[in-house]
Every structure is written in C-alpha cells, then in structure tokens.
Amino acid sequence: KQEVTQIPAALSVPEGENLVLNCSFTDSAIYNLQWFRQDPGKGLTSLLLIQSSQREQTSGRLNASLDKSSGRSTLYIAASQPGDSATYLCAVRRVGAGNMLTFGGGTRLMVKP
Amino acid sequence: SAVISQKPSRDICQRGTSLTIQCQVDSQVTMMFWYRQQPGQSLTLIATANQGSEATYESGFVIDKFPISRPNLTFSTLTVSNMSPEDSSIYLCSVAQGGTDTQYFGPGTRLTVL
C-alpha cells in the first residue's frame, strides 16, 4: 500500500525566502508525481507533474525534483511571496492503481509580508 | 487544461437527507474521479466513474451510500445518501487528461451536515 508523507506539516516564512517542501512515498513503483496547491476552502490547482522517468520540472519560481529510487520529491519555491500562502499537496500515481492518486497530508505554508 | 465546474459550491443539510453533487467538464474525458476531503485531512478517492459502466469504489466506500452517475463523457453526479455529520467534507471531482497524465480538479463542494 502506497503511503505519502509531507514534511513539514506547516511552515511560516518571511517574504523573499527560498523554501523547500518535502514529499516521501513508500512504493517507488510510480507512474508520476504531481504537486498541487489548495487555497482555503477551494479546490486543487495543479502546479507541476513529474513523470517517473524525469528528475525535475520547473515552472516560473517553482522547481520540483523527483528521486524515485529513494521515494522522495521536493518542491522548491524561490523568492516566496504572500500570494504563495496556501496548502501544498503532493500526490503519486502508483503502477497498477489505474489513475488513482494517493495524496500526502499537505504542507500549510504562510508567507508573511 | 480541463475546466471543471461543480454544483452546488456549498450546502448545509439535515441529517438523514441526501445531496446530489454535479460535475461538468468542458471537454470529453474517459475517466472522472470523486474525492472526499474531511476537515483538516488530505484527499481520499471515493470512486472512479467511467461512462457506460458501473463506478468502481475504493475500500471503505459503497454504492448505496455514494451512488454515482456518468451519463456522458462530460458530466457526472455523486449523491451522498442518508447523511450524517461525519459526511461533512469537501467533495471534489477530477479528471485525467490522457495526453498529459495531469489530473485536474473542480472547485469542490463544501458539505456541512447538521
């Protein structure tokens, strides 16, 4: 059974800092890993998708890396802004599980002006 | 990317009643998914809805409690039946676009059961 863990559960940083969010998963047999952002009371916005054959993906100030063999992914946010405040979720699509995503518990990020 | 809408966006319901949530996608998709997010928790998959066949439910979820319809390739409904306060959650539908493998989510339906 796939288990996904995100550390830290919550993070508060001053504006402008670079930060790293961590995601680990127990079963390395994955198709891909996806990072999402969720604003309070809202749905999920897809940020980055990394296929199992890829090492990293970048979009603007966001960079996500994947080390499948060690079961880890990181989301790097450069020059954080108050608008980045949200909960960040990682989710893996496991081989043999169809399109089902297994989610981590999320990291709640607060960027203070 | 797929654009997904859900109705209602939120509702407050009485114990013992049922609520049907609608999910509309702006393009045809093979697979649609229904997730539940309980307060303070992450997302859990309820079921996968394929057009023209019975939905496939995950462990812990049953059709009598969460009946699903999928009449065409752009629409699905999830009913939460005989509700109790434990059903208070955000319910989200999502779709997978085959070309990119990316999954897109609707805005969610926030359900409160009194």
Side-chain angles (χ1 to χ4, degrees):
Chain A
K1 179 188 172 187
Q2 180 72 273
E3 293 183 3
V4 182
T5 304
Q6 290 186 246
I7 295 173
L11 183 62
S12 180
V13 300
E15 180 177 7
E17 272 204 9
N18 302 323
L19 54 99
V20 175
L21 308 181
N22 296 292
C23 172
S24 62
F25 46 95
T26 55
D27 186 348
S28 62
I30 65 169
Y31 281 121
N32 56 49
L33 182 145
Q34 198 165 348
W35 282 93
F36 295 90
R37 167 187 173 138
Q38 185 176 31
D39 292 284
K42 305 290 186 181
L44 276 66
T45 301
S46 177
L47 299 173
L48 290 165
L49 172 78
I50 311 177
Q51 300 290 357
S52 63
S53 59
Q54 298 175 322
R55 297 286 291 181
E56 66 178 336
Q57 283 286 331
T58 298
S59 176
R61 293 183 295 108
L62 304 179
N63 175 276
S65 68
L66 174 64
D67 183 343
K68 197 175 73 164
S69 61
S70 68
R72 295 183 181 185
S73 176
T74 61
L75 179 67
Y76 176 83
I77 302 177
S80 58
Q81 304 170 358
D84 294 331
S85 299
T87 296
Y88 290 80
L89 296 157
C90 71
V92 299
R93 183 182 162 204
R94 184 168 57 88
V95 172
N99 282 284
M100 184 180 87
L101 296 181
T102 303
F103 282 83
T107 294
R108 193 168 60 254
L109 173 65
M110 171 74 72
V111 181
K112 298 179 179 179
Chain B
S1 63
V3 177
I4 305 170
S5 60
Q6 287 185 233
K7 289 182 181 179
S9 58
R10 57 176 61 222
D11 207 342
I12 301 174
C13 301
Q14 296 297 319
R15 180 195 298 262
T17 63
S18 298
L19 176 72
T20 295
I21 302 167
Q22 300 179 5
C23 178
Q24 180 77 52
V25 189
D26 68 341
S27 58
Q28 293 185 339
V29 293
T30 303
M31 302 178 79
M32 296 178 76
F33 309 92
W34 287 98
Y35 285 84
R36 180 176 73 181
Q37 186 176 29
Q38 294 176 299
Q41 305 291 316
S42 193
L43 281 76
T44 302
L45 180 66
I46 297 171
T48 301
N50 296 322
Q51 194 266 337
S53 64
E54 293 264 338
T56 302
Y57 289 82
E58 297 301 314
S59 175
F61 298 96
V62 294
I63 188 171
D64 290 346
K65 176 67 175 177
F66 297 102
I68 288 171
S69 78
R70 183 79 201 274
N72 57 52
L73 292 175
T74 64
F75 187 79
S76 177
T77 67
L78 170 76
T79 299
V80 186
S81 303
N82 188 25
M83 289 184 284
S84 67
E86 292 70 36
D87 294 320
S88 298
S89 298
I90 298 175
Y91 292 86
L92 302 106
C93 70
S94 80
V95 304
Q97 289 208 306
T100 65
D101 282 339
T102 300
Q103 285 205 15
Y104 299 95
F105 283 78
T109 295
R110 180 182 288 273
L111 170 63
T112 301
V113 184
L114 302 178

